[in-house]
């Protein structure tokens, strides 16, 4: 248990708040020929996304380059669709609102490129669920870089000792710990009761 009371929680998005609505890996595999390696293609796409997560370059252009490299007949618009196929878990959203009602600051802390940020923030209004939202493409920094967390602490005006960060990626958890935050691994696949128990360990109020 922390010696300083936790008054702020940072929530990751994918794997913590939201989950895919389709098997996106299988869908991406259909964008190339059967004789090509789906795993290598997906790895190429994920690698191409990295600069745009830090706000560098245009993700659509990066996808177009990958499709050309693999001689794919899929259009860029169709290739971008899997980044739309996700949904937020309503119970997790409810838990966040319970925390906010109790006076706990709740912020989104997620690695996203501008294309997906627009879907989450502008189309689906994720900002309504949080006090502040921190997208890596806006900060110019991405997890697990400790500088990402330092930037958020500066913006919310908090010391790391009073902040809890929750993520489904162990590397990101380690990055937050190295920046002086409390940090815990949580995967939405483990169920929302596990999230409530995690928050309760830090003295944070939740109710079923």
């Amino acid at each position: 248990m922390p010696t300083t009371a936790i008054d702020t929680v940072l929530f990751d998005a994918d794997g913590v708040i939201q989950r895919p609505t389709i098997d996106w890996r299988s869908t991406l595999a259909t964008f190339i020929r059967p004789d090509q390696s789906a795993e290598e293609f997906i790895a190429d796409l994920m690698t191409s996304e990295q600069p745009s997560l830090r706000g560098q370059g245009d993700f659509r252009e990066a996808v177009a380059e990958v499709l050309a490299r693999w001689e794919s007949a899929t259009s860029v618009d169709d290739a971008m669709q899997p980044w739309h196929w996700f949904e937020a878990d309503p119970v997790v959203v409810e838990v966040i609102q319970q925390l906010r009602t109790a006076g706990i600051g709740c912020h989104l802390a997620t690695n996203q490129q501008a294309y997906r940020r627009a879907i989450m923030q502008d189309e689906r209004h994720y900002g309504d669920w949080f006090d502040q939202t921190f997208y890596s493409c806006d900060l110019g920094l991405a997890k697990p870089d400790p500088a990402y967390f330092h930037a958020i602490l500066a913006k919310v005006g908090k010391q790391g000792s009073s902040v809890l960060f929750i993520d489904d990626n162990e590397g990101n958890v380690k990055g937050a710990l190295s920046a002086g935050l409390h940090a815990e691994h949580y995967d939405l696949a483990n169920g929302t009761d596990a999230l409530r128990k995690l928050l309760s360990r830090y003295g944070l109020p939740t109710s079923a």
Side-chain angles (χ1 to χ4, degrees), residues 156-202:
V156 300
K158 297 292 182 179
Q159 296 294 316
S161 58
S162 69
V163 179
L164 171 64
F165 169 68
I166 301 173
D167 200 293
D168 68 322
N169 183 296
E170 291 283 8
N172 294 340
V173 169
K174 290 178 181 177
L177 289 171
S178 70
L181 288 73
H182 298 278
E184 295 284 347
H185 177 266
Y186 166 74
D187 194 312
L188 186 53
N190 294 330
T192 52
D193 284 346
L195 176 61
R196 287 195 174 95
K197 290 178 181 177
L198 185 162
L199 294 168
S200 295
R201 293 202 306 272
Y202 284 83

Side-chain angles (χ1 to χ4, degrees), residues 46-172:
M46 297 302 103
T47 299
S48 76
E49 187 182 28
Q50 293 305 304
S52 58
L53 294 179
R54 298 185 298 274
Q56 301 168 4
D58 186 298
F59 183 51
R60 285 183 61 92
E61 293 178 1
V63 169
E65 291 174 3
V66 172
L67 293 174
R69 189 155 54 241
W70 285 78
E71 299 179 340
S72 173
T74 302
S75 70
V76 175
D77 286 340
D78 286 344
M80 300 290 284
Q81 285 307 301
W83 277 265
H84 286 261
W85 296 333
F86 64 93
E87 63 182 5
D89 186 287
V91 175
V92 176
V93 174
E94 181 183 356
V95 167
I96 292 168
Q97 303 322 303
Q98 290 171 352
L99 291 172
R100 294 180 71 196
T101 298
I104 304 299
C106 293
H107 310 289
L108 181 67
T110 181
N111 282 354
Q112 304 290 343
Q113 24 80 4
Y115 179 82
R116 199 146 185 258
R117 177 206 183 280
I119 298 169
M120 294 169 64
Q121 193 75 2
D122 302 333
E123 295 181 15
R124 306 192 188 181
H125 307 291
Y126 274 42
D128 294 345
W129 304 338
F130 297 94
D131 296 292
Q132 296 186 64
T133 53
F134 298 106
Y135 295 88
S136 59
C137 61
D138 294 333
L139 293 176
L141 297 161
K143 300 178 285 187
D145 187 345
Y148 171 90
F149 300 100
H150 288 308
I152 292 178
L153 291 177
K155 288 181 179 296
V156 300
K158 297 292 182 179
Q159 296 294 316
S161 58
S162 69
V163 179
L164 171 64
F165 169 68
I166 301 173
D167 200 293
D168 68 322
N169 183 296
E170 291 283 8
N172 294 340

